Amino acid sequence: MRYLAALASLLLLTTTAARADMDEARQAFAGGDWQEAASQARQAGGAEGYAYAAQALVTQLMLEPDYPDRRALTREAVELAETAFREDSDSAEARLRLAISLGYNGRYTNSMRAYLMRMPQRGRALLESVVADDPGNVWALGTLGAWHLEVARRGGARGMQMLDASVEAGTGHYRQAIALDPDNPALRYFLALGLIALDEAGQDDMAWQQLEMALALEPRDAFEAGVRDEAAQLLALRGDRDAATAWATDRMTR
């Protein structure tokens, strides 16, 4: 009985410590300290902690395009997300963060090699599994939209045929996500970024409109504030389509 009581106390202390670590991780994330957020979340452990740590590092990749060793940071995010997935493959957050991390890792892999390694196929399957379980998950929907637009950008008509992707599906998923969370500037920015990088005729009006709407929204944390700064930089290039495409493509490939 004493052993069971001691074990119960130990489990309670461990759980309490993990919760405290996650609280600190969320506070650091809200304040824009991505490395501290990742460190605290990693310390919390479990699928939730490792997934959140991966999220923090990917956020740093998104908002700090000049970060000196992006490949190493990407590999770390993938490792954390894979650990979260191994801890609990049913976790929606673990699947989502793994899909997003794999997408970043794909930037440093030749398109055909990535296809043969089934990297994009795995990412899509993970995202679709999250949407199937939770149709209201705005980040899974938005990331699925980004997946379609990126396949279109990198693979063209052949890539879209091979992976059953389309620009229409990409914008459709984004529209669903935005309808569920209309005050989210990040969803609008990433939709615009994907469309401008794609450089497809007929999509400009939607892209510029989404950027304008993103800038009209009040950021809810440091991530959204950073996204609004990026949106402002891109919108400033509206009068020079070639420069806007080059800027967006740079953001999509770093």
Side-chain angles (χ1 to χ4, degrees):
M1 291 295 292
R2 289 180 180 176
Y3 170 78
L4 292 176
L7 180 59
S9 297
L10 178 61
L11 290 173
L12 179 60
L13 287 172
T14 301
T15 301
T16 301
R19 287 176 180 165
D21 289 333
M22 285 304 301
D23 286 342
E24 291 187 22
R26 292 187 180 94
Q27 290 174 11
F29 188 97
D33 191 342
W34 319 121
Q35 286 289 326
E36 178 64 16
S39 177
Q40 291 295 334
R42 186 189 291 109
Q43 187 169 307
E48 180 186 16
Y50 292 122
Y52 200 86
Q55 177 185 353
L57 297 187
V58 169
T59 300
Q60 185 169 23
L61 289 165
M62 289 178 180
L63 298 181
E64 297 180 15
D66 296 324
Y67 185 86
D69 196 348
R70 296 178 65 79
R71 293 194 182 194
L73 196 63
T74 300
R75 286 194 296 270
E76 186 178 355
V78 171
E79 289 170 5
L80 286 164
E82 290 279 18
T83 301
F85 185 73
R86 287 194 298 271
E87 289 273 332
D88 183 2
S89 60
D90 290 329
S91 165
E93 274 299 298
R95 284 177 281 161
L96 174 60
R97 302 307 162 189
L98 179 55
I100 294 174
S101 300
L102 289 172
Y104 257 87
N105 197 40
R107 297 183 179 198
Y108 309 115
T109 308
N110 173 273
S111 296
M112 184 53 68
R113 178 175 172 78
Y115 174 79
L116 294 174
M117 293 173 65
R118 301 193 62 78
M119 290 171 63
Q121 297 94 318
R122 186 186 183 198
R124 179 178 186 170
L126 287 165
L127 292 170
E128 289 182 339
S129 73
V130 176
V131 173
D133 292 343
D134 180 12
N137 190 311
V138 297
W139 283 114
L141 286 166
T143 307
L144 194 52
W147 184 94
H148 280 271
L149 295 184
E150 184 64 354
V151 170
R153 186 189 70 81
R154 291 187 64 173
R158 185 182 178 209
M160 287 191 286
Q161 182 178 20
M162 290 171 65
L163 289 167
D164 188 26
S166 71
V167 175
E168 293 74 17
T171 56
H173 288 305
Y174 264 120
R175 286 181 183 276
Q176 285 180 269
I178 290 169
L180 289 166
D181 189 3
D183 295 327
N184 188 327
L187 293 170
R188 297 181 185 277
Y189 164 69
F190 288 118
L191 169 56
L193 184 71
L195 291 174
I196 293 172
L198 182 60
D199 196 18
E200 182 172 291
Q203 302 290 348
D204 281 10
D205 287 346
M206 182 192 300
W208 301 126
Q209 181 185 50
Q210 291 301 325
L211 287 174
E212 289 173 347
M213 295 177 74
L215 288 171
L217 296 170
E218 190 68 27
R220 296 171 289 195
D221 56 22
F223 168 60
E224 291 189 356
V227 163
R228 285 180 80 255
D229 289 343
E230 293 275 300
Q233 292 180 57
L234 182 52
L235 188 59
L237 299 173
R238 185 172 188 166
D240 187 341
R241 188 60 172 79
D242 290 340
T245 300
W247 190 95
T249 301
D250 177 70
R251 288 297 191 272
M252 298 290 289
T253 54
R254 281 200 193 187

